[in-house]
Amino acid sequence: MGIVAGLDSSPDFTRIVVCDTDTGAVLRQGYAPHPVDTPEGAGTGAGRASDVDPQAWLLSLGEAAGGGLLEGVQAIGVSAQQNALVPLDAQGNTVRPAMVGGDKRAQVAAADLLDALGGREAWAQAVGCVPQAAQPVTKLRWLAKTEPENARRTAVLLQAHDWLVWQLLGRPVRRTTDRGGASGTGYWSAATGGYRPDLVELALGHQVMLPEVIGPSDAAGTTPEGLLISAGTGETMAAAFGLGLGFGDAVVSLGASGSVMAVHPEALADPSGMITSLADATGMHLPVVTTLNAVRTLRGTAELLGLADLESLSDLAMKSTPGSHGLVMLPYLEGERTPNLPHTAGTLAGLRRESMRAEHLARASFEGMLCGLADALDVLRGRGVEVRRVFLLGGAAELPAVQAAAPMLFGAQVVVPQPADYAAIGAARQAAWALGVSQGTLDPRTPPVWQGAAAQVLEPGDELAVGQAVRQQYVSVREQTHPGAFRA
């Protein structure tokens, strides 16, 4: 019996939930924005980024925890934005502001690193992912090329959750991270469970100190006041843990871009680079496939049709029928990662006099977005990942047109959880696990069982055959327009 807290430091704000250790029920909540001007889209994969003073994260943490929010709390877990690189000097001071988000400055550096190791397959085999502009390893290369003096001063590398845990513990000599956070760096392998210091040197030009990777139920330490701090993890892993994902579960996240991930017992090395092999917060693995075009497809269509919002686009789409009267949209508006078509554009096919109506175009935008994400799901299925049900996240998951089409196009039960701070809840669940292990009441291999997320459950039912026909219509257009895109 007791209470624990989960802290989620996102790109724009800090959220804190205080939970009952036994049930996971949220008892209290706190919120505060970061006191910085962060560009829209920073940290969301939207391709924009900024430099942020990490002290801003501490300031909003303090504000969110105000009013006695943490009174009686026995342990804290920390979730934070991924890919935020915090370079420290030998004294533990920040060398420069943290580099956060999908950093376009680092795109050339990503290409450099790709060539330096011998291509996509070499990276996939080494660390389970191919360098992208957002990843810490790529930011290190950018730092070495662009700010060589700062690169030379860099002696320690932390990510956002590592840095926050270290601060909460009073900046001890020992610095820690977890498998989930480490797996996104580009210099730690989920398959081997070890760092690749040679890749850090390849990127930065010299060796540095890297945080110790501790187990999912281990404690990072105890504050001077006796508060236990768990390992912490990245936001993606914390949200998966907060949702209570298990084998057979996948998550489709609808942001401007999209992502598909699933729980799997082993790391997946993918020579094509479409799968990023991340570790989760429980000791398992989270293979992730990303698409560049999700809700931006809907927003673009709404603007084209002169509609004020996505709700209006959904209402219009519901006046059409599955298959959009033969209209097919390949939603590659920003190029695409899955399949790997970085320089392509979107396609609208099947134009006939009877299909040239606003409602059919609206429906085609929803079907195109979801078929693109179904392609990403199939990449995982093709590697032996079981998908029995799909958790659909993001504001667009509430739209009737999404809910009508998703089960039949994904070919699986679709679960739409009620909006909640799942990353913060996952961090709190991790804190409860570490606390229970430290007290001898929980098994270090088995996390506490908390009540599942309240959710709406949608079944494909009789529409499954219709969905397969719509998918086939989409695949035919994709193959005609980009032959062999998934075999390249």
Side-chain angles (χ1 to χ4, degrees):
M1 292 291 290
I3 57 173
V4 291
L7 181 163
D8 176 39
S9 181
S10 85
D12 302 312
F13 54 77
T14 299
R15 287 194 191 276
I16 301 175
V17 296
V18 175
C19 299
D20 179 274
T21 54
D22 294 330
T23 66
V26 176
L27 309 174
R28 305 192 288 269
Q29 300 182 63
Y31 167 86
H34 297 322
V36 289
D37 295 324
T38 305
E40 181 188 350
T44 64
R48 293 181 293 275
S50 67
D51 292 336
V52 173
D53 182 350
Q55 293 294 329
W57 307 333
L58 278 184
L59 289 169
S60 68
L61 191 166
E63 188 179 337
L69 184 77
L70 299 180
E71 193 174 324
V73 164
Q74 297 166 278
I76 294 178
V78 177
S79 152
Q81 60 178 305
Q82 285 152 244
N83 298 323
L85 180 68
V86 187
L88 304 179
D89 63 18
Q91 287 72 47
N93 301 311
T94 50
V95 169
R96 69 181 311 286
M99 298 173 70
V100 305
D103 202 326
K104 276 199 166 172
R105 295 174 301 186
Q107 283 179 340
V108 173
D112 283 350
L113 285 175
L114 202 61
D115 293 339
L117 197 65
R120 302 171 73 85
E121 186 167 357
W123 277 97
Q125 293 294 340
V127 287
C129 59
V130 174
Q132 302 288 337
Q135 283 177 309
V137 71
T138 308
K139 290 169 178 169
L140 289 178
R141 181 70 158 205
W142 179 90
L143 195 63
K145 295 285 187 185
T146 315
E147 299 178 3
E149 182 53 36
N150 284 337
R152 278 192 290 274
R153 289 176 53 217
T154 299
V156 183
L157 298 179
L158 298 180
Q159 293 188 87
H161 81 81
D162 310 334
W163 188 84
L164 284 165
V165 164
W166 184 58
Q167 295 290 331
L168 289 172
L169 291 172
R171 296 164 61 105
V173 173
R174 182 191 189 214
R175 299 175 180 92
T176 62
T177 189
D178 86 306
R179 296 168 66 255
S183 66
T185 59
Y187 44 81
W188 185 88
S189 166
T192 65
Y195 279 116
R196 288 288 303 263
D198 58 314
L199 298 183
V200 175
E201 189 167 356
L202 179 70
L204 188 62
H206 62 89
Q207 294 288 342
V208 295
M209 184 180 288
L210 299 168
E212 177 189 345
V213 181
I214 61 176
S217 62
D218 291 344
T222 307
T223 67
E225 299 77 30
L227 198 63
L228 184 141
I229 308 294
S230 63
T233 195
E235 273 188 319
T236 297
M237 300 79 189
F241 198 39
L243 282 165
L245 298 188
F247 291 127
D249 290 337
V251 172
V252 172
S253 183
L254 301 176
S257 52
S259 68
V260 175
M261 65 179 179
V263 180
H264 198 58
E266 59 188 13
L268 296 177
D270 175 32
S272 75
M274 282 192 289
I275 298 174
T276 297
S277 190
L278 299 178
D280 79 347
T282 73
M284 298 300 167
H285 295 269
L286 273 180
V288 179
V289 180
T290 303
T291 71
L292 294 182
N293 301 279
V295 176
R296 63 164 45 98
T297 306
L298 306 182
R299 295 204 184 282
T301 308
E303 289 169 14
L304 180 66
L305 293 173
L307 299 173
D309 51 40
L310 297 186
E311 287 74 19
S312 302
L313 184 71
S314 174
D315 291 344
L316 187 60
M318 294 299 283
K319 295 176 180 173
S320 181
T321 53
S324 310
H325 276 244
L327 210 54
V328 174
M329 181 184 289
L330 300 183
Y332 305 154
L333 308 184
E334 297 276 325
E336 190 47 82
R337 269 189 67 182
T338 307
N340 185 33
L341 298 167
H343 306 299
T344 193
T347 303
L348 191 61
L351 284 169
R352 294 186 178 86
R353 180 66 191 91
E354 64 271 18
S355 66
M356 295 176 72
R357 297 176 63 91
E359 62 266 29
H360 302 324
L361 178 57
R363 176 92 190 192
S365 70
F366 283 95
E367 290 179 346
M369 174 187 77
L370 292 169
C371 283
L373 290 160
D375 278 350
L377 267 175
D378 283 351
V379 170
L380 293 179
R381 285 175 168 135
R383 291 298 306 277
V385 177
E386 188 176 354
V387 178
R388 287 195 301 269
R389 58 177 182 169
V390 175
F391 285 74
L392 202 54
L393 303 184
E398 303 287 336
L399 296 172
V402 169
Q403 295 190 5
M408 62 170 142
L409 294 178
F410 293 159
Q413 182 187 81
V414 169
V415 180
V416 185
Q418 286 185 0
D421 300 322
Y422 291 110
I425 291 168
R429 189 179 176 205
Q430 187 194 65
W433 193 7
L435 180 66
V437 169
S438 75
Q439 295 172 339
T441 58
L442 287 177
D443 186 319
R445 294 159 301 181
T446 310
V449 178
W450 279 10
Q451 57 198 21
Q456 188 177 359
V457 178
L458 310 166
E459 300 283 357
D462 298 338
E463 301 249 274
L464 196 53
V466 176
Q468 288 172 335
V470 175
R471 274 296 308 282
Q472 189 52 53
Q473 177 179 268
Y474 176 90
V475 169
S476 296
V477 171
R478 190 194 69 221
E479 280 297 304
Q480 287 165 14
T481 313
H482 305 287
F486 276 100
R487 295 191 295 276

